Structures are given as C-alpha cells and as structure tokens.
Amino acid sequence: MCLALTFSAVKADDKNSKNKAEEKGIQFTEATWASILKRAKQEKKVIFFDAYTTWCGPCKLLQKNVFTRPDVAEVFNKNFINVKFDMESGEGPALANKYPLEGYPTLFFIDPDGKIVKQVIGYQKPETLIKIAKSIKKVPGAV
C-alpha cells in the first residue's frame, strides 16, 4: 500500500512539473486559421506558425528543448501570435496547400494578411530562433 501511494505521488509531481514547463514556454493558441488571422489583424501582430508532423524527430526536439525555454518564450509570447498545426490532420493539409512545405519542421512568420514574412526549415537552436524572431519587422501600427 505504501509503495502505491509513493508511486502515485511521484506521478503527480511529474505531471505538475510538466505543466509548469509548458507554462514557461511559448504559449500556442488553439483556434481555426481564419480566427488566428482575424486576431493578428486586431492585435497588429505577426503569426509564428510551427508546421509539424507527429512522426518528425526534429519537430519533437523543438517542442521539448526550444519552445519550453523561458528566454525563447519571452520573445515569442510578447511579439507574436503563436500557433502550431499538425500538417497531416485537421486544418493542416489545407494549410500545407496554402503554404508549401519542403521539410519538417517548417517555421513560418506570417503577417496578418496571410503573407509569409519569413520561412525557416528544420530544427533551430534557441539562440538562432530568438535572433530570427528579433529580425522580423513588426506590423505597422503595432505597439
């Protein structure tokens, strides 16, 4: 009985620490593409769009090692509307037709009109991703 309780307590702690790591990371918006574009126009922000697949190793590494870092999150949460789509399910295939892909992950920076500002293919180190993000021009009229 004591072992079971200890085990469940450890499991609960793992879950809590995982949630805390996600809270510190990039906050991704879950919504339809149309509503994301609408929000980008309202907030005058560029969209950061992570185009991934569930089987992509570098995609998983980005999610685990880069998107969870506080320094990355600080830049992205402040300056962009962050979204991610599995390009093989839901709206993903339609978005793959609109924004052609050469590989996974593809990281897009898209203006509120839906035009690509910048496209980066493959795993990026945290420092590189921050540098890329800082090079993106703000939407005219943005604060």
Side-chain angles (χ1 to χ4, degrees):
M1 182 69 144
C2 188
L3 278 176
L5 290 174
T6 304
F7 180 72
S8 63
V10 169
K11 275 298 202 199
D13 286 346
D14 281 352
K15 202 172 193 178
N16 290 340
S17 64
K18 190 172 188 178
N19 288 342
K20 284 185 176 129
E22 288 169 7
E23 287 171 18
K24 289 180 187 169
I26 293 177
Q27 300 299 305
F28 287 96
T29 300
E30 290 187 24
T32 63
W33 185 246
S35 64
I36 289 163
L37 286 170
K38 185 177 176 183
R39 181 176 162 198
K41 284 182 180 173
Q42 289 170 341
E43 295 183 21
K44 295 181 171 45
K45 284 187 172 181
V46 170
I47 300 162
F48 170 64
F49 169 14
D50 171 27
Y52 74 95
T53 65
T54 56
W55 50 261
C56 165
C59 300
K60 292 176 185 179
L61 288 173
L62 263 178
Q63 184 63 46
K64 182 181 175 191
N65 299 328
V66 179
F67 295 164
T68 54
R69 285 189 36 159
D71 54 342
V72 174
E74 182 182 346
V75 172
F76 280 80
N77 292 339
K78 179 180 172 190
N79 297 299
F80 303 100
I81 294 171
N82 305 300
V83 298
K84 59 183 176 177
F85 285 95
D86 177 350
M87 301 312 284
E88 296 181 335
S89 69
E91 272 190 282
L95 289 169
N97 286 333
K98 184 174 176 81
Y99 302 107
L101 302 160
E102 295 175 31
Y104 295 108
T106 297
L107 307 175
F108 293 103
F109 293 87
I110 298 175
D111 74 14
D113 293 323
K115 295 186 184 94
I116 298 171
V117 175
K118 188 163 188 74
Q119 178 176 347
V120 182
I121 300 168
Y123 178 86
Q124 303 298 312
K125 292 180 181 174
E127 300 78 14
T128 306
L129 194 56
I130 289 169
K131 194 178 287 185
I132 292 166
K134 288 182 175 180
S135 76
I136 304 296
K137 302 281 185 264
K138 292 194 186 303
V139 174
V143 181

